[in-house]
Amino acid sequence: MEILDGKVVSQAVKDSVKEKAAQLKEAGNKTPHLAAVLVGVDGASETYVASKVKNCEEVGFKSTLIRLDANIEESVLIETIEKLNADEDVDGILVQLPLPKQINEAKIIGLIDPAKDVDGFHPVSIGKMVQGLPTFIPATPYGIMMMLEHYNIETKGKHAVIIGRSNIVGRPISILLNRNSYPGNCTVTVCHSHTPNLKEICLQADIIVAALGKPGFLTADMVKENAVVVDVGITRVADSTKKSGFAIKGDVDFAGVAPKCSYITPVPGGVGLMTIAALLMNTYNATLIKSTH
Ligand code: NAD
């Protein structure tokens, strides 16, 4: 069993992004600039956004964090997005999800300029991805693809089982693993909360991507020998031994499943770190495209 190490791969991606951004600047172009919008105060979202901003600094990007009150009207967020769309200096815009109930998430995502859609959630980005055209790939699936590539994991002709069909993880990774390139060319089965025979399906999988948000859901009896297991889950579980009062748990029962796998991602230290690296790569690409047009 080998660990797919998010620390190692994300650092390699970040080093490459840092170097490419420096070269872009040397050639007379601008510094990549990511604008993040955070609405309300939510522990997990705060942590994610803080980490994204910190990582921007690490690779020499400019970042702007816009904080808005949880009770704002939708129009305030719309105005914020429009300003960021019009701001020549901003290359990438991300709106941290989830948004408060009074705000229509799909409407907000649809307002982001597709040229700045570094989260890859805009319908234009998704449509292009489905058609295999160059575009921004949602950060978590993109990070998973980079990880598979880094470790030269064979995907062609493999049966990939995805647990979860969300717009941000399950569905896009199912499309990417199914496309005619590397990593890809898998036969993909997408499972969800209404899938009755999940265990039988998982037992046929060469590659499993667990993205359902249920800690320890995937157990050893659901995994065949030598499978590749990618754990996307991030759930905060109360843990009084931790200073924060919680531990981060993945969707895979790591202790039970790992000995059966050829490769497995840990949580923490796996896909989560890749998500941020992929976001930085998307932001760099947004700047590059702008600079060369
Ligand atoms: P979501 O709640 O939007 O979707 C969960 C999906 O899992 C749904 O499609 C649902 O049908 C399916 N599901 C739920 N229970 C199931 C069951 N018992 N059997 C089969 N399928 C079931 O979640 P999401 O936004 O895709 O996130 C999933 C997990 O990944 C969460 O823990 C989230 O925190 C984590 N996440 C991690 C990263 C990262 O960077 N590592 C990024 C995004 C999300």
Side-chain angles (χ1 to χ4, degrees):
M1 183 271 296
E2 193 176 337
I3 297 281
L4 298 173
D5 191 336
K7 271 190 211 143
V8 170
V9 190
S10 67
Q11 194 56 55
V13 173
K14 286 198 286 184
D15 289 347
S16 149
V17 165
K18 187 174 181 175
E19 199 184 315
K20 289 201 285 187
Q23 284 168 359
L24 197 66
K25 198 157 183 212
E26 264 167 39
N29 296 297
K30 69 187 291 300
T31 300
H33 180 183
L34 176 71
V37 184
L38 178 62
V39 185
V41 193
D42 167 88
S45 291
E46 291 265 351
T47 312
Y48 295 146
V49 170
S51 178
K52 287 168 187 174
V53 168
K54 184 175 147 273
N55 274 271
C56 278
E57 281 166 19
E58 270 181 41
V59 297
F61 288 8
K62 195 171 157 188
S63 66
T64 302
L65 173 57
I66 298 167
R67 287 174 167 276
L68 298 172
D69 194 80
N71 303 317
I72 52 153
E73 283 184 28
E74 195 179 73
S75 59
V76 176
L77 184 53
I78 291 174
E79 212 177 292
T80 306
I81 303 292
E82 282 169 350
K83 268 194 200 143
L84 293 172
N85 282 342
D87 188 335
E88 286 285 323
D89 191 57
V90 170
D91 303 296
I93 302 171
L94 82 82
V95 178
Q96 187 64 41
L97 304 179
L99 290 169
K101 280 194 228 50
Q102 75 277 16
I103 296 174
N104 180 335
E105 253 176 38
K107 182 172 169 187
I108 296 299
I109 290 167
L111 283 172
I112 296 173
D113 178 351
K116 300 187 179 188
D117 176 38
V118 289
D119 254 342
F121 297 158
H122 192 288
V124 166
S125 306
I126 302 283
K128 286 184 176 175
M129 182 189 69
V130 170
Q131 294 193 344
L133 298 170
T135 187
F136 299 113
I137 306 282
T140 302
Y142 186 18
I144 295 171
M145 298 297 271
M146 290 199 272
M147 202 170 212
L148 296 174
E149 197 173 0
H150 182 96
Y151 285 93
N152 281 316
I153 305 232
E154 181 60 273
T155 57
K156 188 164 70 181
K158 303 292 182 191
H159 182 199
V161 170
I162 317 298
I163 315 176
R165 59 177 167 187
S166 72
N167 286 337
I168 65 168
V169 190
R171 187 158 292 134
I173 193 68
S174 74
I175 290 161
L176 294 168
L177 286 175
N178 181 247
R179 68 186 182 174
N180 185 5
S181 58
Y182 177 78
N185 281 313
C186 291
T187 302
V188 177
T189 305
V190 184
C191 300
H192 47 80
S193 48
H194 299 282
T195 302
N197 48 343
L198 193 71
K199 181 176 168 181
E200 286 69 30
I201 295 169
C202 286
L203 279 169
Q204 294 165 24
D206 303 304
I207 300 169
I208 301 179
V209 179
L212 70 161
K214 300 230 155 80
F217 179 88
L218 189 80
T219 46
D221 59 324
M222 300 166 81
V223 179
K224 80 172 178 189
E225 288 291 334
N226 291 323
V228 175
V229 172
V230 176
D231 189 352
V232 183
I234 295 183
T235 306
R236 289 182 169 197
V237 177
D239 184 342
S240 56
T241 66
K242 304 266 179 203
K243 213 168 107 190
S244 59
F246 62 83
I248 300 292
K249 295 280 176 207
D251 288 341
V252 177
D253 169 25
F254 187 88
V257 170
K260 292 183 93 172
C261 296
S262 53
Y263 295 92
I264 186 167
T265 65
V267 175
V271 174
L273 297 172
M274 292 308 302
T275 296
I276 294 184
L279 173 72
L280 297 174
M281 186 63 95
N282 276 343
T283 306
Y284 165 75
N285 283 330
T287 315
L288 178 69
I289 293 164
K290 199 156 100 184
S291 305
T292 51
H293 276 76

